[in-house]
């Protein structure tokens, strides 16, 4: 019998469902952005969600993107793209995402002239895995003159938050920013919230904590969350399996190709297991194919047939 995923007290924010549920509030998002950005841009007074998406280029993995229009206390508009994943060549991809954001707003009708520049474009990237060159908790980047070391263009900046560089800290001595990052990284494994968190938390963080309680989920929400939790919970073992199979089957075509083949097979088998569980729970085809994008409709039909009692 397959081992059931342990039901935690709080949602794991590494899941798309958890991240979107807990950050999809103007109150929570404004609080988080002020903790991250107020020293550089002042207080953000309003946040408007312009788009929430699972990027199509991320069908093979996790990822949620928020496009936000924010206004500071002095009336400055800031466009922000916030993401909660990392992938290969991510520094290049981060620039692509912000240029795409700029292009989208220009196409929608924004025009600049001799006195008005485009709004500031910020990227906030929460990295669940290490990225080469991002070697501290928060890395801030901008465009600089290489000779004078002064900022050349202030319209586009990026903030990389590397959760891998957030170590163990006594909760009683955490700053407000550290409390936020600790919550994002570890709430899925917490049994209780340290009292110090409630001492420093504003209404946005308190709202996030309440939304993150597993007990607040409906049965349908929990089933979806459990399916995503299964994917990330078994991610490590799936990658190891895929690596071993890839080495054995791909030697004739080279080590790199073999690893890729094995990893893909490992992920496919994991999604077959997840799809079987979802079929048993009564999920419809569209939902299962959304959660298990490596499966084709024909392969899902075969799984359904295998679960039908034979007479």
């Amino acid at each position: 019998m397959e081992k059931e995923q342990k039901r935690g007290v709080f949602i794991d924010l590494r899941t798309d469902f958890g991240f979107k549920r807990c950050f999809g509030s103007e109150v929570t998002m404004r609080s988080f952005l002020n903790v991250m950005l107020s020293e550089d841009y002042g207080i953000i007074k309003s946040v408007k969600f312009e788009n929430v998406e699972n990027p199509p280029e991320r069908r093979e993995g996790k990822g949620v993107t928020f496009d936000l229009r924010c206004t500071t206390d002095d009336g400055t508009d800031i466009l922000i793209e916030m993401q909660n994943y990392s992938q290969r060549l991510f520094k290049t991809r981060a620039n692509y995402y912000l240029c795409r954001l700029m292009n989208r707003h220009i196409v929608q009708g924004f025009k600049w002239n001799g006195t008005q520049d485009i709004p500031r474009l910020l990227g906030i990237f929460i990295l669940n895995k290490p990225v080469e060159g991002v070697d501290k908790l928060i890395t801030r980047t901008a465009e600089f003159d290489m000779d004078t070391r002064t900022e050349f263009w202030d319209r586009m900046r990026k903030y990389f938050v590397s959760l891998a560089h957030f170590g163990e800290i006594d909760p009683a001595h955490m700053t407000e920013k550290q409390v936020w990052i600790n919550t994002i990284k570890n709430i899925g494994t917490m049994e209780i919230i340290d009292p110090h968190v409630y001492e420093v938390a504003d209404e946005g963080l308190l709202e996030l904590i309440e939304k993150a309680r597993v007990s607040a989920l409906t049965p349908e929400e929990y089933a979806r969350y459990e399916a995503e939790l299964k994917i990330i919970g078994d991610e490590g073992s799936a990658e190891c399996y895929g690596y071993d199979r890839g080495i054995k089957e791909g030697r004739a075509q080279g080590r790199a190709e073999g690893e890729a083949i094995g990893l893909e097979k490992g992920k496919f088998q994991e999604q077959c297991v997840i799809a079987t569980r979802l079929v048993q729970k009564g999920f419809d085809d569209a939902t299962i194919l959304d959660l298990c994008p490596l499966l084709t409709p024909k392969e899902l039909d075969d799984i359904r047939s295998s679960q039908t009692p034979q007479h």
Side-chain angles (χ1 to χ4, degrees), residues 32-44 159 177:
F32 174 71
L33 293 177
N34 275 319
V35 166
M36 291 295 300
L37 303 175
S38 60
E39 293 180 1
D40 293 334
Y41 300 100
I43 300 299
I44 292 174
Y159 292 70
K177 184 178 293 186

Side-chain angles (χ1 to χ4, degrees), residues 131-149:
V131 169
E132 183 180 0
V134 180
D135 54 4
K136 55 183 182 293
L137 177 59
I138 299 176
T139 300
R140 301 180 299 165
T141 71
E143 185 172 329
F144 279 79
D145 182 305
M146 294 177 64
D147 296 314
T148 64
R149 304 297 181 182

Side-chain angles (χ1 to χ4, degrees), residues 13-14 62 84-86 126-130 161 163-164 184:
L13 299 190
R14 292 177 300 169
K62 306 183 295 299
N84 76 317
Y85 57 84
S86 58
I126 298 177
L127 309 177
N128 293 305
K129 296 180 180 179
V161 183
L163 299 183
I184 293 171

Side-chain angles (χ1 to χ4, degrees), residues 59 271 284-297 300:
R59 281 184 59 83
Q271 293 199 6
D284 58 75
D285 285 6
T287 300
I288 296 174
L289 291 172
D290 182 52
L291 293 170
C292 305
L294 295 181
L295 296 184
T296 66
L300 178 56

Side-chain angles (χ1 to χ4, degrees), residues 42-60:
I43 300 299
I44 292 174
K45 291 296 187 181
S46 68
V47 173
K48 178 182 177 182
F49 287 81
E50 298 201 328
N51 189 39
V52 180
E53 66 173 334
N54 291 76
E57 63 265 25
R58 287 290 296 166
R59 281 184 59 83
E60 81 283 2

Side-chain angles (χ1 to χ4, degrees), residues 92-256:
T92 299
R93 291 177 180 269
N95 281 285
Y96 161 72
Y97 296 136
L98 286 181
C99 289
R100 184 182 63 172
L101 176 64
M102 177 171 62
N103 179 69
R104 184 157 59 242
H105 282 271
I106 291 175
V107 170
Q108 290 173 355
F110 177 83
K111 293 180 174 62
W112 66 87
N113 52 44
T115 60
Q116 182 183 13
D117 207 339
I118 63 172
R120 294 181 185 273
L121 303 166
L122 303 183
I124 298 179
F125 306 106
I126 298 177
L127 309 177
N128 293 305
K129 296 180 180 179
V131 169
E132 183 180 0
V134 180
D135 54 4
K136 55 183 182 293
L137 177 59
I138 299 176
T139 300
R140 301 180 299 165
T141 71
E143 185 172 329
F144 279 79
D145 182 305
M146 294 177 64
D147 296 314
T148 64
R149 304 297 181 182
T150 57
E151 190 168 20
F152 180 75
W153 188 51
D154 67 352
R155 296 293 95 180
M156 184 181 294
R157 295 176 181 172
K158 295 178 286 295
Y159 292 70
F160 298 90
V161 183
S162 177
L163 299 183
H165 288 89
F166 187 81
E168 294 294 329
I169 302 176
D170 182 357
H173 296 95
M174 286 185 186
T175 65
E176 186 178 10
K177 184 178 293 186
Q178 289 171 333
V179 165
W180 265 100
I181 295 174
N182 182 60
T183 301
I184 293 171
K185 180 178 180 179
N186 296 315
I187 194 169
T189 62
M190 294 178 183
E191 296 296 325
I192 60 173
I193 302 297
D194 188 273
H196 176 68
V197 173
Y198 292 106
E199 293 176 6
V200 303
D202 61 9
E203 60 176 340
L205 182 53
L206 293 176
E207 181 177 291
L208 181 149
I209 292 170
E210 290 306 308
K211 284 188 174 182
R213 294 186 186 278
V214 171
S215 60
L217 301 180
T218 66
E220 293 77 15
E221 288 172 335
Y222 182 72
R224 185 177 184 88
Y225 167 64
E226 185 186 45
E228 292 189 15
L229 193 64
K230 173 66 177 175
I231 293 173
I232 65 171
D234 291 346
E235 191 176 59
S237 60
E239 289 181 354
C240 290
Y241 169 81
Y243 180 87
D244 293 340
R245 288 292 301 272
I247 291 297
K248 293 178 181 179
E249 298 180 9
R251 287 187 185 280
Q253 299 178 10
R255 180 183 179 89

